[in-house]
Every structure is written in C-alpha cells, then in structure tokens.
Amino acid sequence: MAVQPLSSNIEDILGADGASLLQHQCKIPKSSLHLPGPDSVERSYGASDRSVRVLVSLQSLLDHGRLGGTGYVSILPVDQGIEHSAGASFAPNPVYFDPENIVKLAIEGGCNGVASTLGVLGSVARKYAHKIPFLLKFNHNEFLSYPNSFDQIRFASIKQAFDMGAMGVGATIYFGSEESKRQLQEVTAMFQQAHELGMFTVLWCYLRNNAFKTKEADYHLAADLTGQANHLGVTIEADIIKQKLPETNGGYTALNFGKTHKKVYSDLSSDHPIDLTRYQVANCYMGRAGLINSGGASSGESDLKEAVRTAVINKRAGGMGLISGRKAFQRSMKDGVGRLNAIQDVYLSKAVTIA
C-alpha cells in the first residue's frame, strides 16, 4: 500500500515558480497522451509485440515501492562510479563504496527499482534481487583512459542480467556523436535479446557533440534535439526513455542542420519547461513509452527545490517518473531517503495534475 504523501508544502518548496508550474496548460493537449496509471502496462504495452514475460517484468517495476500501483516510477540509478569515477561520486559519503548500501537506499527510499552496474548488482543479487526490481546498466562511458574519450562501451551481457534475476536492462546512446551509429546497432541487438528473455528495456537517450554547445546555449538540452533522440530510442523498442530535462529549444535552427518544422516551435511547444518536456513525451509515441527525466547532479542547499521542481515538470508534462541518484546517495541515508520521498510525494499528490 502506498504511503500517504506529505505534499501540502509542494507549493512552498517551489516558491516563486509555484504558480507558473502548477497552473500552466500545455499546447499539446493531454487528451492526445497515453498517461501513466494503474493499468499502464495493459494500455501502453499490451497491444505491442512485447512478450508476456516482458509485461510481467514491467508490472513488477510498477507495482513496487511507494509509487506501486500508480503507474509512476521512482528509480535510484548509481552508475556514477564508472561514469564520473568512484572517488568523485562516493567521497562525499564513503558508505556507498559498498554496493549493499546502494540497494538498501533504494529499498528504504521506497523506490520502484534500482539501476546500477554488473558489479554492484551482481555482488548482492542473491540477497536482494527478489526484494526490489534490478535494472542492469550494461554499457558505460569508461573514464580512466587518458586522454579522456567519450564513448559508451559494453561492460556486461544480457545473459548476465538474466542470470542475476534482473527485471530490466539499460543502456546509453550518445546521439550525435561519432560513435552513435555503432552504439545504436549494439544496443538494438541487446535490447532484442533482453525482450526475448523477458526483461524490459530502458534507454538513456543523451546527446553528445561539441558542436551542440555554443556561446548562446547548450543545445544538448534542447527540446527539439532531445525529442528526436527519444524518437530514435522508441524506434529500437526501448520500453522506457531516460532523458535530461530540457532547458531550451531550437537546436535544429540554431545549429542549422537536420530537418525540423516551424510548427514544432509555434504549435507544439513554447519556452515553458512543461511544454518543452511535453514535446519530449510526444516523441515517446505520445507516452506509449514512458519518459523518465533525470534528477540532475547534487548541488547543495537547492537540491530539494530542484528535485521537486523536476518531478512537477515531468508529471505535469505527462512523464512516467524520475530517476535520481546523486541527490540521494551523496548525503546520509536518512537525508537521501528524504529526497527520494519528496520526489515520490509529487507523484502521489492529487494537487499536481496533468497540464
């Protein structure tokens, strides 16, 4: 049973942004969307070519934790030991060098699932794989080669995920990078294998190209470019898309490449963060594949507001939930649980509606 949310002060946490975020109405109407709900698996995936075992795995994810039965998810992702180095990630709270504490945080924090590396999840699989859904991230940006290069390389196999009892697998593709075509082909094949073995698939649809960042804006966070990355992700049958929250738009026009349409900017989006995020949802087959936004890096005193703000934007845009790591594990277990619960309270709150 879901714990009753302590959400009466969500507007207080949002502060001056509260009215704009809680009252905004989107250009793309919510009636066009496949929205999260208790019957999400049946409505959004039931008519697809996913096997019964994949549907069971998705339902297991959606039934777990404080958000169980709502159609929303709160996932703890901890692969930063590879992506950012273990020292940079865990020095603020060294207990998380021990993988068991990562899984404990996800359980104590009421998460639907925990996403991490082969080593982390494999080291405690016999103790915890039946207690919380595991999501094995099988590729990573190895960050020790000098000079640094930016590429997602395979660290694990789909069989290893299956053998440890994982319910799902995850991967990153750096769309826009020189390596993206190889990554796309590798991940496509591995997602097919995961589906054949009954596991759901989650794709980190990130952009990576130095040309996408200009003096004017960082178009790695543009709604039009991230939206297209999402569209490529659902094309290879990612069941859930993980994407960064958009902060700008007009990447195609500013960079003068690719193809777009003026109605993307005039009719389907605006400069409001909920409209920008709804465009991301639209590119996930109007929500048939769930959109989860990342919670961002830990940044100190403003963490709580940023986490709640991101959750409100994702939920009101029609997203499926949040995947937040450093805001939780770079602090004490108690405070980390509090951050995760604050995010979950947004999705449990009836006062935060779909725009």
Side-chain angles (χ1 to χ4, degrees), residues 82-83 118 136-142 151-161 170-172 182-183 185-187 189-191 193:
I82 297 175
E83 297 281 347
L118 171 65
L136 174 62
K137 181 81 162 32
F138 62 73
N139 70 359
H140 304 284
N141 178 27
E142 180 273 310
D151 189 11
Q152 290 287 328
I153 59 175
R154 176 176 148 174
F155 271 64
S157 71
I158 299 301
K159 187 175 185 301
Q160 286 173 304
T172 298
R182 190 206 79 244
Q183 294 167 11
Q185 292 170 332
E186 288 176 352
V187 173
M190 294 181 77
F191 274 10
Q193 186 181 2

Side-chain angles (χ1 to χ4, degrees), residues 100-119:
E100 184 169 11
N101 288 319
I102 293 171
V103 181
K104 282 182 176 179
L105 175 60
I107 293 173
E108 293 296 318
C111 292
N112 298 71
V114 57
S116 197
T117 67
L118 171 65

Side-chain angles (χ1 to χ4, degrees), residues 36 67 72-74 291-294 314-315 319-323 347:
L67 298 183
Y72 292 105
V73 297
S74 165
L291 171 71
I292 54 176
N293 289 118
S294 52
N314 173 271
K315 182 181 180 182
M320 187 184 192
L322 231 57
I323 182 163
Y347 294 96

Side-chain angles (χ1 to χ4, degrees), residues 134-196:
F134 277 12
L135 169 59
L136 174 62
K137 181 81 162 32
F138 62 73
N139 70 359
H140 304 284
N141 178 27
E142 180 273 310
F143 209 56
L144 189 58
S145 299
Y146 186 83
N148 289 151
S149 61
F150 298 95
D151 189 11
Q152 290 287 328
I153 59 175
R154 176 176 148 174
F155 271 64
S157 71
I158 299 301
K159 187 175 185 301
Q160 286 173 304
F162 178 78
D163 287 345
M164 76 163 60
M167 291 289 178
V169 299
T172 298
I173 294 176
Y174 283 152
F175 289 106
S177 71
E178 291 184 7
E179 299 83 11
S180 62
K181 291 181 175 61
R182 190 206 79 244
Q183 294 167 11
L184 185 60
Q185 292 170 332
E186 288 176 352
V187 173
T188 296
M190 294 181 77
F191 274 10
Q192 179 186 0
Q193 186 181 2
H195 277 156
E196 289 172 351

Side-chain angles (χ1 to χ4, degrees), residues 17 45 58 89 184 205 218 240 349:
D17 295 335
Y45 304 96
L58 282 165
S89 302
L184 185 60
C205 290
D218 185 355
I240 298 171
S349 173

Side-chain angles (χ1 to χ4, degrees), residues 5 56 66 70 76 79 82 117 143 184 190 217 238 274 276 348:
V56 169
R66 290 182 77 225
T70 65
L76 177 72
D79 61 351
I82 297 175
T117 67
F143 209 56
L184 185 60
M190 294 181 77
I274 297 176
L276 297 176
L348 291 170

